[in-house]
Amino acid sequence: MLSNSFPYIAFSLLFFLFSLDGYVFSKNTEAYKSIRFLFVNATVLISIYFIGCRGFVAADWYFYLPYFEKCPTFFDETSKIFEFVKNNEYEKGYCLFSIICKSIFDNYFAFQFICFVIDFFVLHSFFKEYCRKYYFLGWMLFWIFQGFVFEIIILRNAKAIMLFLISIKYAEKRKFLPYFFINLLGVFFHSSAVIYIPLYFFFGLKRHPKIELFLFISGGFIYVLQIPLIKPVLLLFSNFMPGRYGHLVQMYLASDLYSASYGITIGFLERFFTFCILYKFSKRIIKNDNRMKTFWFIFLLYSYSYLFMSDFSILIERIPNLFICSYWILYPKLFGLLKKEFKYIFLILLLLYGSMRTATLLSKNWAYYDNFITGAMSSMERKNLYIKTGYGDKK
């Protein structure tokens, strides 16, 4: 049902309109400053209302609500808290975070609200730091490229990714200890964040554009020809992986759904186009702002992980997400290099593509939007809807 995605598309459209502020009002005038101040405050209020005050929307609550209900508070017996922390199914950092939130507000909607407000202000500072005058475009790109996934589907991963965003400035300043400890904290929210820690050394390397291009072309052949590369390696090492990871890998390998290969899709064509255009402009982007070298390396990791892991769909759905933040920053930098007439074309194409992505992701019944301020379904009503549409059975 395409109508389910309309609220999300309309929400993204606001950032498209806000992005036009510098083209409707003359810059460095009082009117421009006033309008921009108004738009920034509108971004804060509308974002917190729309996402922070959502009901039982999409997928994350389906797993985390039962966990939250079992979670103790600091007002419970110490033995009960230690027992829960010891035996809980998720990472310890998320466990303690849940206990703290529940001790303050014993309500899952309040928990969702707190989670989003934290993410929002991390992203707010991130876009102010790296996008500057293209702040609203940064937000638009965030929502188009996995923002809704982070905020309503993969709650724990999102916290680890937010911590990585905070750590990037320390990688740029070559301060290893703050970078290490921030991402170590991220590991305690989601174990995938362990990938970020060794990247500190990768970010310090010198660029080799010809090698970058060669790897992209090689990955493209592997993707198009569906050459199995990752599955044989994982199958070989799965028995040696620690804890539950070996079991998870074996389970995913045995699943036709999770171990399927990706074919030629619109997403592949978009990534191909994105690499080509950003590669062409990468030297100018980095020359104008040397910090963009770090984001360029993050973008390479995003591109290569998508191409080289294409024979194992569950990895494509998880690993590239860790590096999607490069889109949110490099595209605004590219936008700043375009001539005025091309900027309008860029924004329109981005709006059309973003609307299509959002509609594809959020058109199902499980994405039906409601808000606890105006009235939201109960968890049981939403669960029944999921089961009716097949989503609950799948999970």
Side-chain angles (χ1 to χ4, degrees):
M1 296 180 64
L2 193 61
S3 60
N4 288 324
S5 64
F6 286 170
Y8 305 97
I9 294 173
F11 176 67
S12 302
L13 179 62
L14 286 173
F15 297 98
F16 169 79
L17 298 175
F18 291 168
S19 298
L20 299 175
D21 64 342
Y23 303 97
V24 177
F25 302 95
S26 298
K27 295 181 179 180
N28 301 319
T29 64
E30 290 302 319
Y32 171 75
K33 294 177 182 177
S34 298
I35 290 296
R36 190 169 179 85
F37 177 79
L38 176 65
F39 284 175
V40 170
N41 283 279
T43 296
V44 175
L45 295 175
I46 295 171
S47 298
I48 291 176
Y49 173 81
F50 185 76
I51 301 296
C53 300
R54 71 190 184 276
F56 294 114
V57 173
D60 60 1
W61 74 269
Y62 194 86
F63 308 99
Y64 297 127
L65 174 62
Y67 180 86
F68 185 81
E69 290 174 338
K70 293 185 296 183
C71 184
T73 72
F74 288 127
F75 302 106
D76 292 318
E77 295 178 0
T78 304
S79 59
K80 181 179 179 180
I81 297 172
F82 277 108
E83 185 69 19
F84 182 81
V85 172
K86 179 182 177 181
N87 298 318
N88 92 98
E89 58 194 293
Y90 297 129
E91 289 82 356
K92 305 303 183 187
Y94 177 77
C95 174
L96 291 173
F97 176 72
S98 300
I99 292 173
I100 292 169
C101 290
K102 188 173 181 179
S103 298
I104 301 171
F105 296 107
D106 189 359
N107 180 283
Y108 189 76
F109 286 150
F111 176 70
Q112 286 189 151
F113 183 85
I114 292 169
C115 285
F116 177 69
V117 168
I118 292 171
D119 290 357
F120 177 85
F121 283 105
V122 170
L123 289 162
H124 172 72
S125 299
F126 183 69
F127 292 135
K128 283 185 67 177
E129 174 72 20
Y130 292 105
C131 293
R132 296 182 184 178
K133 62 181 180 178
Y134 301 121
Y135 168 84
F136 302 113
L137 182 58
W139 272 112
M140 183 181 177
L141 285 156
F142 170 73
W143 292 117
I144 289 173
F145 292 103
Q146 300 301 87
F148 290 117
V149 171
F150 291 158
E151 297 307 326
I152 65 177
I153 298 178
I154 55 172
L155 187 151
R156 281 166 37 244
N157 305 57
K159 290 294 173 287
I161 292 167
M162 295 302 131
L163 287 165
F164 174 62
L165 299 185
I166 294 171
S167 75
I168 288 174
K169 62 184 177 183
Y170 296 106
E172 294 166 352
K173 296 175 182 177
R174 310 310 297 158
K175 294 183 178 181
F176 176 70
L177 287 179
Y179 178 87
F180 172 78
F181 283 113
I182 290 171
N183 286 296
L184 182 62
L185 179 60
V187 174
F188 286 99
F189 278 90
H190 199 276
S191 55
S192 62
V194 72
I195 292 175
Y196 290 135
I197 294 175
L199 295 186
Y200 175 88
F201 305 100
F202 177 62
F203 294 150
L205 297 177
K206 182 181 177 182
R207 277 197 68 190
H208 296 282
K210 291 182 179 179
I211 295 178
E212 294 168 0
L213 184 60
F214 171 76
L215 289 174
F216 178 74
I217 294 172
S218 300
F221 276 112
I222 289 172
Y223 185 101
V224 172
L225 299 177
Q226 297 189 353
I227 300 173
L229 184 67
I230 295 299
K231 281 193 284 191
V233 175
L234 290 176
L235 187 62
L236 181 64
F237 289 101
S238 61
N239 290 326
F240 304 100
M241 293 181 179
R244 64 190 182 97
Y245 299 108
H247 171 72
L248 283 174
V249 168
Q250 290 176 0
M251 181 184 71
Y252 287 141
L253 287 170
S255 168
D256 293 335
L257 174 65
Y258 292 121
S259 66
S261 299
Y262 264 44
I264 303 298
T265 62
I266 293 177
F268 170 79
L269 297 176
E270 174 270 307
R271 288 168 177 83
F272 178 84
F273 168 78
T274 296
F275 184 91
C276 291
I277 192 168
L278 288 180
Y279 181 84
K280 176 178 175 60
F281 283 90
S282 59
K283 186 178 292 186
R284 289 177 61 189
I285 290 171
I286 295 171
K287 183 178 180 181
N288 288 347
D289 186 348
N290 191 56
R291 299 177 302 172
M292 293 304 106
K293 179 187 171 186
T294 301
F295 287 97
W296 174 251
F297 282 142
I298 296 172
F299 173 70
L300 291 179
L301 291 169
Y302 174 80
S303 300
Y304 297 156
S305 61
Y306 180 81
L307 295 174
F308 286 98
M309 296 179 177
S310 59
D311 63 319
F312 201 10
S313 62
I314 188 65
L315 288 183
I316 282 192
E317 293 170 3
R318 302 289 178 88
I319 301 301
N321 278 344
L322 300 174
F323 310 115
I324 191 65
C325 63
S326 56
Y327 269 56
W328 313 335
I329 303 302
L330 291 178
Y331 258 129
K333 294 296 180 180
L334 170 67
F335 183 76
L337 297 176
L338 300 177
K339 294 180 180 179
K340 189 172 183 178
E341 57 270 25
F342 289 112
K343 287 182 177 180
Y344 288 117
I345 296 172
F346 176 93
L347 288 174
I348 292 170
L349 290 175
L350 184 63
L351 177 65
L352 294 174
Y353 180 69
S355 298
M356 182 188 68
R357 274 182 64 103
T358 303
T360 301
L361 174 67
L362 298 170
S363 61
K364 302 292 189 291
N365 280 338
W366 54 262
Y368 173 77
Y369 180 81
D370 57 16
N371 189 290
F372 68 71
I373 292 179
T374 56
M377 290 184 191
S378 69
S379 60
M380 187 56 66
E381 288 175 316
R382 182 68 79 158
K383 189 173 292 186
N384 289 336
L385 176 64
Y386 281 18
I387 294 172
K388 181 180 178 181
T389 57
Y391 185 78
D393 294 335
K394 176 182 173 182
K395 292 297 181 182

